[in-house]
Amino acid sequence: MDHPGFWAPAGPYTLSELVAHADATIPEAFLSRGALKIVAIRTLDEAGPDDVSFFDNRKYLAALKVTKAAAVFVSRESVAKLPDGVVPLVARDPYRAFARALELFFPDAGTPKVAPGTSLVDETAQIEDGAIVEPGAVIGAGASIGRGTRIAAGAVIGYRVAIGRDGFIGPGATITHALIGNRVIIHAGVRVGQDGFGFAMGPGGHYKVRQVGRVIIQDDVEIGANSTIDRGALRDTIIGEGTKIDNLVQIAHNVVIGRHCVIAAQTGISGSTVLEDYVAMGGQCGTVGHIRIGAAAQIGAQSGVASDIPRGERWGGYPAKPIVAWAREVALLKRLAKRKGADTPGDTND
Protein backbone atom coordinates (compact mmCIF):
# COMPACT_ATOMS: atom_id res chain seq x y z
CA MET A 1 0.00 0.00 0.00
CA ASP A 2 1.28 3.44 -0.96
CA HIS A 3 0.97 5.44 2.25
CA PRO A 4 2.53 8.77 3.29
CA GLY A 5 3.27 7.61 6.84
CA PHE A 6 2.23 9.08 10.16
CA TRP A 7 5.24 11.21 11.12
CA ALA A 8 7.01 14.08 9.38
CA PRO A 9 10.72 13.17 9.56
CA ALA A 10 13.32 15.89 10.09
CA GLY A 11 16.97 15.97 9.14
CA PRO A 12 19.41 15.16 7.79
CA TYR A 13 21.79 15.73 10.70
CA THR A 14 25.55 15.43 10.88
CA LEU A 15 27.15 12.91 13.20
CA SER A 16 28.51 15.82 15.21
CA GLU A 17 24.98 17.18 15.69
CA LEU A 18 23.70 13.76 16.68
CA VAL A 19 26.32 13.07 19.35
CA ALA A 20 25.95 16.56 20.77
CA HIS A 21 22.23 16.05 21.27
CA ALA A 22 22.49 12.41 22.37
CA ASP A 23 25.25 12.84 24.97
CA ALA A 24 27.65 10.60 23.05
CA THR A 25 31.16 10.99 21.62
CA ILE A 26 33.00 10.16 18.42
CA PRO A 27 36.35 8.45 19.02
CA GLU A 28 39.37 10.48 17.93
CA ALA A 29 40.14 8.10 15.05
CA PHE A 30 36.73 8.93 13.51
CA LEU A 31 36.52 12.66 14.21
CA SER A 32 37.04 13.44 10.53
CA ARG A 33 33.65 11.78 9.86
CA GLY A 34 31.80 14.26 12.06
CA ALA A 35 30.38 16.14 9.07
CA LEU A 36 28.83 12.98 7.59
CA LYS A 37 25.11 13.54 7.10
CA ILE A 38 22.64 11.01 8.47
CA VAL A 39 19.19 10.75 6.91
CA ALA A 40 17.37 8.32 9.23
CA ILE A 41 17.49 6.07 12.28
CA ARG A 42 16.95 2.39 11.52
CA THR A 43 17.44 -1.01 13.11
CA LEU A 44 20.81 -2.72 12.69
CA ASP A 45 19.62 -5.08 9.96
CA GLU A 46 17.71 -2.42 8.00
CA ALA A 47 20.21 0.45 8.23
CA GLY A 48 22.13 1.57 5.18
CA PRO A 49 25.07 3.91 4.50
CA ASP A 50 22.97 7.04 5.24
CA ASP A 51 21.53 5.75 8.53
CA VAL A 52 22.40 5.55 12.20
CA SER A 53 21.46 2.65 14.51
CA PHE A 54 22.12 1.47 18.08
CA PHE A 55 23.24 -1.67 19.92
CA ASP A 56 22.12 -2.40 23.47
CA ASN A 57 21.10 -6.07 23.56
CA ARG A 58 23.45 -9.03 23.05
CA LYS A 59 20.70 -10.93 21.22
CA TYR A 60 21.42 -8.63 18.27
CA LEU A 61 25.19 -9.12 18.24
CA ALA A 62 25.05 -11.03 14.94
CA ALA A 63 23.20 -8.11 13.33
CA LEU A 64 25.74 -5.65 14.74
CA LYS A 65 28.65 -7.52 13.17
CA VAL A 66 27.20 -7.23 9.66
CA THR A 67 25.31 -3.94 9.86
CA LYS A 68 25.64 -1.57 6.92
CA ALA A 69 24.81 1.51 9.01
CA ALA A 70 27.02 4.58 8.69
CA ALA A 71 27.24 4.84 12.49
CA VAL A 72 25.98 3.03 15.58
CA PHE A 73 25.42 4.15 19.15
CA VAL A 74 27.39 1.63 21.24
CA SER A 75 29.03 1.25 24.62
CA ARG A 76 32.81 1.57 24.79
CA GLU A 77 33.04 -2.19 25.32
CA SER A 78 31.21 -2.93 22.05
CA VAL A 79 33.24 -0.68 19.74
CA ALA A 80 35.51 -3.54 18.66
CA LYS A 81 32.51 -5.56 17.46
CA LEU A 82 31.55 -3.05 14.76
CA PRO A 83 32.32 -3.81 11.10
CA ASP A 84 35.17 -1.90 9.52
CA GLY A 85 34.19 1.60 8.48
CA VAL A 86 31.16 1.93 10.76
CA VAL A 87 31.55 4.97 13.01
CA PRO A 88 31.09 4.20 16.73
CA LEU A 89 29.05 6.78 18.59
CA VAL A 90 30.14 5.94 22.12
CA ALA A 91 27.60 6.42 24.88
CA ARG A 92 27.41 5.35 28.50
CA ASP A 93 23.81 4.27 27.77
CA PRO A 94 23.41 3.57 24.02
CA TYR A 95 19.65 3.04 24.29
CA ARG A 96 19.14 6.42 25.95
CA ALA A 97 21.39 8.05 23.35
CA PHE A 98 19.29 6.47 20.62
CA ALA A 99 16.12 7.80 22.28
CA ARG A 100 17.53 11.33 22.32
CA ALA A 101 18.60 11.12 18.68
CA LEU A 102 15.14 9.89 17.76
CA GLU A 103 13.71 13.18 19.02
CA LEU A 104 15.71 15.05 16.40
CA PHE A 105 14.43 12.93 13.52
CA PHE A 106 10.79 12.82 14.68
CA PRO A 107 10.04 16.07 16.52
CA ASP A 108 6.25 15.67 16.17
CA ALA A 109 6.15 12.09 17.47
CA GLY A 110 5.83 13.09 21.10
CA THR A 111 2.06 13.44 20.73
CA PRO A 112 -0.07 10.66 19.19
CA LYS A 113 -1.83 11.47 15.90
CA VAL A 114 -5.30 10.56 17.12
CA ALA A 115 -7.72 12.48 14.90
CA PRO A 116 -6.45 16.04 14.47
CA GLY A 117 -8.43 18.62 12.57
CA THR A 118 -11.62 16.60 12.52
CA SER A 119 -15.23 17.38 13.25
CA LEU A 120 -16.62 13.82 13.51
CA VAL A 121 -15.80 12.99 9.87
CA ASP A 122 -12.96 15.10 8.54
CA GLU A 123 -13.44 16.53 5.06
CA THR A 124 -10.14 15.03 3.94
CA ALA A 125 -11.14 11.48 4.92
CA GLN A 126 -11.78 9.11 2.02
CA ILE A 127 -14.84 6.93 2.62
CA GLU A 128 -15.80 4.58 -0.19
CA ASP A 129 -19.43 4.18 -1.25
CA GLY A 130 -21.02 1.42 0.80
CA ALA A 131 -19.00 2.07 3.96
CA ILE A 132 -21.12 2.85 7.02
CA VAL A 133 -20.09 5.37 9.68
CA GLU A 134 -22.50 5.27 12.63
CA PRO A 135 -23.46 8.45 14.53
CA GLY A 136 -20.80 9.48 17.04
CA ALA A 137 -17.86 7.82 15.28
CA VAL A 138 -14.85 10.07 14.64
CA ILE A 139 -12.88 9.80 11.40
CA GLY A 140 -9.60 11.72 11.32
CA ALA A 141 -7.88 13.73 8.64
CA GLY A 142 -6.50 11.70 5.76
CA ALA A 143 -8.09 8.44 6.94
CA SER A 144 -9.56 6.00 4.44
CA ILE A 145 -12.41 3.50 4.93
CA GLY A 146 -13.15 0.80 2.36
CA ARG A 147 -16.48 -0.28 0.89
CA GLY A 148 -18.63 -2.46 3.13
CA THR A 149 -16.79 -1.60 6.35
CA ARG A 150 -18.87 -0.47 9.32
CA ILE A 151 -17.46 1.97 11.88
CA ALA A 152 -19.59 1.67 15.02
CA ALA A 153 -20.73 4.51 17.25
CA GLY A 154 -18.03 5.95 19.46
CA ALA A 155 -15.11 4.50 17.49
CA VAL A 156 -12.18 6.81 16.73
CA ILE A 157 -10.23 6.36 13.50
CA GLY A 158 -7.07 8.43 13.64
CA TYR A 159 -5.01 10.52 11.30
CA ARG A 160 -4.14 8.74 8.03
CA VAL A 161 -5.35 5.35 9.26
CA ALA A 162 -6.28 3.08 6.35
CA ILE A 163 -8.96 0.39 6.75
CA GLY A 164 -9.87 -2.02 3.97
CA ARG A 165 -13.20 -3.40 2.80
CA ASP A 166 -15.94 -5.42 4.50
CA GLY A 167 -14.54 -4.96 7.99
CA PHE A 168 -16.02 -3.96 11.32
CA ILE A 169 -14.68 -1.55 13.94
CA GLY A 170 -16.64 -1.95 17.17
CA PRO A 171 -18.07 0.69 19.48
CA GLY A 172 -15.51 2.60 21.49
CA ALA A 173 -12.52 1.16 19.62
CA THR A 174 -9.62 3.50 18.82
CA ILE A 175 -7.40 2.95 15.80
CA THR A 176 -4.31 5.10 15.31
CA HIS A 177 -1.05 4.75 13.34
CA ALA A 178 -2.38 1.61 11.64
CA LEU A 179 -2.94 0.08 8.21
CA ILE A 180 -5.70 -2.54 8.27
CA GLY A 181 -6.63 -5.03 5.56
CA ASN A 182 -9.92 -6.43 4.31
CA ARG A 183 -12.53 -8.33 6.33
CA VAL A 184 -10.92 -7.42 9.65
CA ILE A 185 -13.16 -7.56 12.73
CA ILE A 186 -12.14 -5.35 15.65
CA HIS A 187 -14.47 -5.67 18.63
CA ALA A 188 -15.57 -3.10 21.18
CA GLY A 189 -12.96 -1.24 23.18
CA VAL A 190 -9.92 -2.44 21.24
CA ARG A 191 -6.92 -0.09 21.23
CA VAL A 192 -4.63 -0.23 18.21
CA GLY A 193 -1.60 1.94 17.52
CA GLN A 194 -0.86 3.58 20.87
CA ASP A 195 2.69 4.04 22.18
CA GLY A 196 4.74 0.97 22.88
CA PHE A 197 6.17 0.69 26.39
CA GLY A 198 9.63 2.02 25.57
CA PHE A 199 11.86 3.71 28.14
CA ALA A 200 15.61 4.03 28.51
CA MET A 201 15.74 3.26 32.21
CA GLY A 202 18.39 4.64 34.52
CA PRO A 203 19.06 5.90 38.03
CA GLY A 204 18.31 9.46 36.93
CA GLY A 205 14.85 8.54 35.69
CA HIS A 206 13.28 6.72 32.78
CA TYR A 207 13.68 8.48 29.43
CA LYS A 208 10.75 8.01 27.04
CA VAL A 209 11.64 6.51 23.66
CA ARG A 210 9.44 7.83 20.87
CA GLN A 211 7.55 5.11 19.05
CA VAL A 212 7.54 5.91 15.34
CA GLY A 213 6.52 2.57 13.82
CA ARG A 214 3.05 1.45 12.76
CA VAL A 215 0.64 -1.42 13.26
CA ILE A 216 -0.02 -3.56 10.18
CA ILE A 217 -3.07 -5.85 10.40
CA GLN A 218 -3.49 -8.14 7.42
CA ASP A 219 -6.70 -9.58 5.92
CA ASP A 220 -9.24 -11.71 7.84
CA VAL A 221 -7.89 -10.95 11.33
CA GLU A 222 -10.27 -10.83 14.31
CA ILE A 223 -9.37 -9.00 17.52
CA GLY A 224 -11.39 -9.49 20.71
CA ALA A 225 -12.85 -6.83 22.97
CA ASN A 226 -10.49 -4.62 24.99
CA SER A 227 -7.32 -6.06 23.50
CA THR A 228 -4.40 -3.72 22.87
CA ILE A 229 -1.84 -3.66 20.08
CA ASP A 230 1.02 -1.18 20.46
CA ARG A 231 2.64 0.39 17.44
CA GLY A 232 6.29 -0.37 16.73
CA ALA A 233 9.27 1.63 17.91
CA LEU A 234 11.23 1.65 14.63
CA ARG A 235 9.83 -1.49 13.03
CA ASP A 236 6.12 -2.19 12.53
CA THR A 237 4.01 -4.35 14.80
CA ILE A 238 2.46 -6.93 12.44
CA ILE A 239 -0.57 -9.21 12.79
CA GLY A 240 -0.62 -11.81 10.04
CA GLU A 241 -3.47 -12.90 7.79
CA GLY A 242 -6.24 -14.93 9.40
CA THR A 243 -4.97 -14.63 12.97
CA LYS A 244 -7.61 -14.73 15.72
CA ILE A 245 -7.03 -12.83 18.97
CA ASP A 246 -9.29 -13.22 22.00
CA ASN A 247 -10.40 -10.57 24.51
CA LEU A 248 -7.95 -8.74 26.80
CA VAL A 249 -4.77 -9.65 24.95
CA GLN A 250 -1.75 -7.33 25.11
CA ILE A 251 0.59 -7.25 22.09
CA ALA A 252 3.63 -5.05 22.60
CA HIS A 253 5.69 -2.97 20.19
CA ASN A 254 7.58 -4.63 17.32
CA VAL A 255 5.82 -7.98 17.83
CA VAL A 256 5.38 -9.96 14.61
CA ILE A 257 2.56 -12.51 14.59
CA GLY A 258 2.35 -14.84 11.61
CA ARG A 259 -0.63 -16.13 9.66
CA HIS A 260 -3.53 -18.06 11.21
CA CYS A 261 -2.30 -17.91 14.80
CA VAL A 262 -4.75 -18.30 17.69
CA ILE A 263 -4.15 -16.32 20.91
CA ALA A 264 -6.51 -16.84 23.85
CA ALA A 265 -7.67 -14.31 26.41
CA GLN A 266 -5.41 -12.43 28.84
CA THR A 267 -2.23 -13.40 27.03
CA GLY A 268 0.63 -10.89 27.03
CA ILE A 269 3.29 -10.89 24.30
CA SER A 270 6.36 -8.78 25.07
CA GLY A 271 8.20 -6.51 22.66
CA SER A 272 10.00 -7.81 19.56
CA THR A 273 8.72 -11.36 20.02
CA VAL A 274 8.05 -13.29 16.79
CA LEU A 275 5.29 -15.88 16.40
CA GLU A 276 5.58 -17.84 13.19
CA ASP A 277 2.51 -19.15 11.33
CA TYR A 278 -0.17 -21.29 13.05
CA VAL A 279 1.06 -20.78 16.62
CA ALA A 280 -1.60 -21.42 19.29
CA MET A 281 -1.37 -19.85 22.77
CA GLY A 282 -3.71 -20.75 25.63
CA GLY A 283 -5.27 -18.23 27.98
CA GLN A 284 -3.12 -16.15 30.34
CA CYS A 285 0.18 -17.02 28.65
CA GLY A 286 3.04 -14.57 28.87
CA THR A 287 6.31 -14.21 27.00
CA VAL A 288 9.52 -12.34 27.56
CA GLY A 289 10.70 -10.10 24.74
CA HIS A 290 12.99 -10.82 21.79
CA ILE A 291 12.18 -14.53 21.40
CA ARG A 292 10.88 -16.62 18.49
CA ILE A 293 8.09 -19.18 18.68
CA GLY A 294 8.26 -21.59 15.77
CA ALA A 295 5.50 -22.41 13.30
CA ALA A 296 2.61 -24.55 14.60
CA ALA A 297 3.95 -24.52 18.17
CA GLN A 298 1.33 -24.90 20.91
CA ILE A 299 1.62 -23.31 24.35
CA GLY A 300 -0.54 -24.38 27.29
CA ALA A 301 -2.65 -21.97 29.31
CA GLN A 302 -0.92 -19.88 32.00
CA SER A 303 2.53 -20.71 30.64
CA GLY A 304 5.44 -18.32 31.00
CA VAL A 305 7.65 -18.46 27.92
CA ALA A 306 11.22 -17.32 28.54
CA SER A 307 13.09 -18.81 25.55
CA ASP A 308 12.69 -19.70 21.88
CA ILE A 309 10.33 -22.60 21.08
CA PRO A 310 11.16 -24.82 18.08
CA ARG A 311 8.53 -25.26 15.37
CA GLY A 312 5.80 -27.80 15.98
CA GLU A 313 6.53 -28.37 19.66
CA ARG A 314 4.05 -28.32 22.56
CA TRP A 315 5.18 -26.48 25.69
CA GLY A 316 3.62 -25.62 29.01
CA GLY A 317 4.34 -24.58 32.59
CA TYR A 318 6.20 -21.79 34.32
CA PRO A 319 8.83 -21.39 33.08
CA ALA A 320 7.52 -23.11 29.96
CA LYS A 321 9.23 -26.30 28.78
CA PRO A 322 8.30 -29.22 26.48
CA ILE A 323 4.93 -30.55 27.60
CA VAL A 324 6.19 -34.05 28.41
CA ALA A 325 8.91 -32.71 30.72
CA TRP A 326 6.40 -30.40 32.38
CA ALA A 327 3.90 -33.22 32.96
CA ARG A 328 6.63 -35.38 34.52
CA GLU A 329 7.62 -32.57 36.88
CA VAL A 330 4.01 -32.04 37.96
CA ALA A 331 3.55 -35.78 38.55
CA LEU A 332 6.80 -35.97 40.54
CA LEU A 333 5.77 -33.04 42.74
CA LYS A 334 2.43 -34.71 43.44
CA ARG A 335 4.17 -37.95 44.46
CA LEU A 336 6.61 -36.06 46.69
CA ALA A 337 3.76 -34.15 48.32
CA LYS A 338 1.89 -37.39 49.04
CA ARG A 339 5.00 -39.03 50.46
CA LYS A 340 5.72 -36.01 52.63
CA GLY A 341 2.18 -36.11 53.95
CA ALA A 342 2.45 -39.82 54.76
CA ASP A 343 5.77 -39.30 56.57
CA THR A 344 4.43 -36.48 58.78
CA PRO A 345 2.94 -37.69 62.08
CA GLY A 346 -0.58 -36.52 62.78
CA ASP A 347 -1.52 -34.38 65.75
CA THR A 348 -2.22 -36.23 69.01
CA ASN A 349 -4.46 -35.14 71.83
CA ASP A 350 -3.39 -35.89 75.40
Side-chain angles (χ1 to χ4, degrees):
M1 176 185 290
D2 185 19
H3 189 270
F6 295 100
W7 312 108
Y13 296 100
T14 67
L15 288 180
S16 295
E17 290 171 326
L18 285 180
V19 296
H21 187 80
D23 193 22
T25 59
I26 302 175
E28 186 174 350
F30 293 90
L31 284 176
S32 62
R33 305 280 295 279
L36 180 65
K37 289 189 176 181
I38 299 297
V39 173
I41 296 183
R42 301 189 188 279
T43 57
L44 288 166
D45 58 339
E46 293 179 334
D50 296 321
D51 303 324
V52 67
S53 190
F54 74 102
F55 174 73
D56 192 45
N57 187 323
R58 290 191 58 81
K59 289 187 177 182
Y60 299 98
L61 180 58
L64 176 71
K65 290 180 176 180
V66 296
T67 187
K68 294 180 171 57
V72 178
F73 289 107
V74 291
S75 66
R76 193 169 302 280
E77 294 75 22
S78 298
V79 169
K81 299 179 176 68
L82 285 167
D84 291 343
V86 176
V87 179
L89 308 180
V90 180
R92 187 164 56 92
D93 184 343
Y95 188 51
R96 185 176 290 251
F98 150 76
R100 291 180 63 85
L102 202 59
E103 292 174 340
L104 284 177
F105 284 101
F106 296 98
D108 66 338
T111 304
K113 300 290 180 103
V114 180
T118 187
S119 176
L120 293 185
V121 179
D122 191 86
E123 63 182 11
T124 64
Q126 300 176 32
I127 301 176
E128 288 189 343
D129 291 342
I132 299 172
V133 179
E134 293 184 355
V138 178
I139 312 296
S144 62
I145 313 294
R147 183 181 66 240
T149 288
R150 177 185 291 270
I151 310 298
V156 176
I157 309 303
Y159 172 74
R160 287 184 177 172
V161 165
I163 299 174
R165 294 174 173 172
D166 300 314
F168 173 75
I169 309 298
T174 59
I175 315 295
T176 66
H177 313 98
L179 308 180
I180 297 174
N182 299 319
R183 300 175 300 280
V184 172
I185 298 172
I186 294 179
H187 289 281
V190 169
R191 309 296 184 217
V192 173
Q194 60 282 337
D195 276 11
F197 191 66
F199 297 89
M201 294 185 291
H206 308 315
Y207 198 87
K208 187 172 180 64
V209 180
R210 298 190 176 199
Q211 309 287 289
V212 297
R214 307 171 298 180
V215 175
I216 308 295
I217 299 176
Q218 296 179 353
D219 295 346
D220 300 303
V221 168
E222 184 163 350
I223 301 170
N226 294 319
S227 291
T228 56
I229 303 175
D230 296 342
R231 70 178 182 267
L234 286 180
R235 299 181 187 275
D236 295 328
T237 301
I238 299 173
I239 312 297
E241 173 189 354
T243 283
K244 311 302 181 187
I245 297 169
D246 200 355
N247 301 333
L248 294 168
V249 171
Q250 156 65 9
I251 297 173
H253 60 185
N254 305 331
V255 167
V256 175
I257 295 177
R259 299 173 302 152
H260 306 294
C261 295
V262 177
I263 301 169
Q266 296 186 342
T267 289
I269 302 175
S270 295
S272 299
T273 292
V274 175
L275 276 63
E276 297 180 359
D277 298 344
Y278 293 96
V279 169
M281 300 182 72
Q284 296 185 328
C285 286
T287 78
V288 301
H290 306 276
I291 62 172
R292 178 175 290 267
I293 299 173
Q298 298 179 25
I299 303 168
Q302 295 189 323
S303 297
V305 184
S307 63
D308 293 351
I309 296 179
R311 61 183 295 127
E313 293 197 1
R314 299 174 65 207
W315 283 37
Y318 189 89
K321 54 184 64 65
I323 202 86
V324 172
W326 177 46
R328 286 174 179 163
E329 289 182 6
V330 171
L332 177 60
L333 285 171
K334 289 176 70 174
R335 289 197 298 270
L336 288 172
K338 282 185 178 180
R339 184 181 304 167
K340 182 67 175 174
D343 291 344
T344 301
D347 291 338
T348 60
N349 294 317
D350 295 331

